[in-house]
Amino acid sequence: MPEPLPRIKKLSPYEPGLSIAEIQERHGLARVIKLASNENPLGASPLAMEAISKAAASAFRYPQGGNPRLTRALAKIHNVSPQRIAIGNGSDEIIDCLIRIFVQAGQHNILCFDPCFSIYPIQATINGNQIKRLPLKSDFSFDFEAFLNLADENTRLVFLTTPDNPSGYCPPLEDVAAFAQSLAAKAPDALLVIDEAYMDFAPEGFSLLNVGKYPENVIFLRTFSKSYGLAGARLGYAILPENLTEFFWRTRLPFSVSILAEEAGLAALADAAFREATLKTVAEGRKYLTLELTRLGCEVAPSSANFIMFRPPEGKMEAAALHAALLARGIIIRQLKSYGLPDYLRASVGNREENRVFIKELEKLLKGKA
Ligand SMILES: *Cc1c(COP(=O)(O)O)cnc(C)c1O
């Protein structure tokens, strides 16, 4: 038997949010509320579900190469040339492809913040790449000056998440624009990858992509997993400089986006009513959770995303104990130990009933009445 490579043997795996089935079984519960993976509180778009059923009859066929219909639809929505669109099996696959396309092991490096979305460092490690990390400021904002200082002539990819996961922080547009400019000047061989998985939930005017004015060295990542409610279908996309797109298509596995996912994505893009309802539900739920968590004495990080990071009040239950006690009551939220934030928890914004039950159970636990 061969030995796995040393870097694979010491890799810490990605920790997904716990599943509903797991918790139902473990605690013998009939109802479990999952607020752990920032999924859509309204489920999947009805139009997308219908499209998946219709596409079932074509499941025996291979997808068309290059996802041309979805590419055209996305190009139209973002008002860019179809040659700038890359589509993948979730944005996770695109992140992995970018690393494989641009970063030479033993020579180049990748920058990201600490903590950050764990797929960046995990895929970098799998590919044998060096990763340089800058701690977030104590208020979870970004020190762009120090980040720029980390970049050198061997930097190839710089990951920035706006709004950020797990804090929900979204930096001002001017700061992101200035950073992109300075990076292009200091490290002309580096690409700035702005992961906008949660941008739909942020106020208008925070996305360089939406504003449409940005330097050439920028790649944007978007996903169907959050605002479009298709996390299980696996669909994400990038908008990248036109001359780089062909290398993406050469690198990506030819059929990684299934026929079902492509049809679901096309239908979800057309479902304006579902999208509007999603954004409204998240905005209301986020406001409610922020107020209620604050009322219960939690320290709440201001969020521009569909989740809230908070720190339970001191002198009561610690984050880990609170997380476990909520699980036993059928409420799954996210522990942030794997992000290096053991004192914090992250809850996705659910629907009105889910949010209410979560707060009710949390209140009982914090008041010692559980
Ligand atoms: C959820 C999330 C994504 C989306 O990943 P998919 O592979 O598209 O499901 C990307 N980036 C961040 C920071 C996320 O939290």
Side-chain angles (χ1 to χ4, degrees):
M1 287 277 237
E3 282 284 309
L5 299 175
R7 65 174 187 259
I8 302 297
K9 280 175 94 171
K10 59 174 204 275
L11 189 70
S12 343
Y14 176 76
E15 277 186 36
L18 296 162
S19 77
I20 290 182
E22 246 171 300
I23 297 308
Q24 270 176 333
E25 199 167 317
R26 195 193 294 175
H27 297 286
L29 295 163
R31 182 178 74 165
V32 169
I33 293 176
K34 184 180 177 204
L35 301 174
S37 302
N38 307 335
E39 292 149 349
N40 194 306
L42 301 181
S45 132
L47 293 188
M49 290 193 271
E50 199 184 309
I52 292 173
S53 313
K54 275 199 192 141
S58 306
F60 72 104
R61 298 242 181 248
Y62 279 102
Q64 214 179 339
N67 310 110
R69 290 166 61 224
L70 190 54
T71 297
R72 279 196 301 273
L74 289 169
K76 203 163 160 215
I77 282 176
H78 290 292
N79 195 22
V80 298
S81 132
Q83 276 77 46
R84 293 188 54 201
I85 303 283
I87 298 174
N89 184 286
S91 29
D92 291 355
E93 185 187 31
I94 303 179
I95 292 164
D96 183 59
C97 282
L98 292 175
I99 293 173
R100 286 190 288 136
I101 295 166
F102 294 109
V103 192
Q104 177 65 53
Q107 182 183 354
H108 299 146
N109 63 66
I110 295 171
L111 308 193
C112 64
F113 282 103
D114 187 10
C116 68
F117 183 48
S118 60
I119 294 292
Y120 320 141
I122 291 175
Q123 297 316 122
T125 306
I126 290 173
N127 288 294
N129 297 126
Q130 192 204 348
I131 184 142
K132 300 207 280 179
R133 305 187 67 168
L134 179 75
L136 294 176
K137 292 206 242 179
S138 59
D139 63 355
F140 300 99
S141 66
F142 305 145
D143 184 343
F144 280 115
E145 204 181 312
F147 207 34
L148 185 67
N149 283 335
L150 269 192
D152 61 29
E153 71 279 9
N154 290 318
T155 302
R156 289 295 174 273
L157 296 177
V158 178
F159 284 100
L160 192 63
T161 318
T162 66
D164 200 14
N165 180 3
S167 74
Y169 168 74
C170 198
L173 188 72
E174 310 80 71
D175 294 8
V176 178
F179 176 71
Q181 292 286 1
S182 321
L183 182 73
K186 183 181 177 193
D189 290 330
L191 286 163
L192 175 59
V193 184
I194 307 184
D195 185 342
E196 297 192 338
Y198 301 101
M199 192 51 91
D200 288 340
F201 305 112
E204 291 216 5
F206 278 81
S207 166
L208 280 184
L209 176 62
N210 294 352
V211 168
K213 224 174 145 261
Y214 43 85
E216 227 193 346
N217 63 330
V218 181
I219 292 180
F220 297 95
L221 297 180
R222 294 275 179 119
T223 180
F224 284 84
S225 297
K226 314 287 163 46
S227 56
Y228 289 109
L230 291 174
R234 308 306 302 128
L235 194 60
Y237 62 99
I239 291 149
L240 60 174
E242 187 160 332
N243 56 333
L244 300 181
T245 312
E246 69 167 297
F247 301 103
F248 171 80
W249 292 110
R250 284 188 214 177
T251 309
R252 199 201 80 172
L253 287 171
F255 304 118
S256 67
V257 172
S258 76
I259 284 190
L260 304 187
E262 181 165 21
E263 293 303 327
L266 280 162
L269 289 179
D271 197 342
F274 178 79
R275 186 181 158 78
E276 203 175 300
T278 295
L279 299 186
K280 184 159 176 273
T281 301
V282 168
E284 286 173 4
R286 185 169 65 194
K287 199 163 155 196
Y288 168 80
L289 289 178
T290 303
L291 283 171
E292 290 295 293
L293 288 168
T294 306
R295 175 178 68 80
L296 296 177
C298 300
E299 179 195 312
V300 182
S303 172
S304 299
N306 66 339
F307 53 82
I308 306 252
M309 185 177 84
F310 64 99
R311 185 183 181 137
E314 292 207 22
K316 304 245 170 98
M317 281 174 97
E318 308 232 311
L322 204 51
H323 178 259
L326 284 167
L327 276 186
R329 280 156 187 77
I331 296 163
I332 315 176
I333 61 170
R334 193 77 139 87
Q335 253 192 305
L336 297 178
K337 222 169 27 188
S338 67
Y339 285 84
L341 300 169
D343 300 330
Y344 288 81
L345 296 166
R346 191 193 70 197
S348 311
V349 177
N351 63 34
R352 200 180 285 192
E353 175 65 6
E354 291 169 331
N355 296 336
R356 195 188 58 76
V357 174
F358 162 52
I359 291 296
K360 192 181 83 187
E361 293 300 330
L362 184 70
E363 180 159 22
K364 279 198 257 174
L365 288 167
L366 288 177
K367 294 197 169 153
K369 283 191 239 151

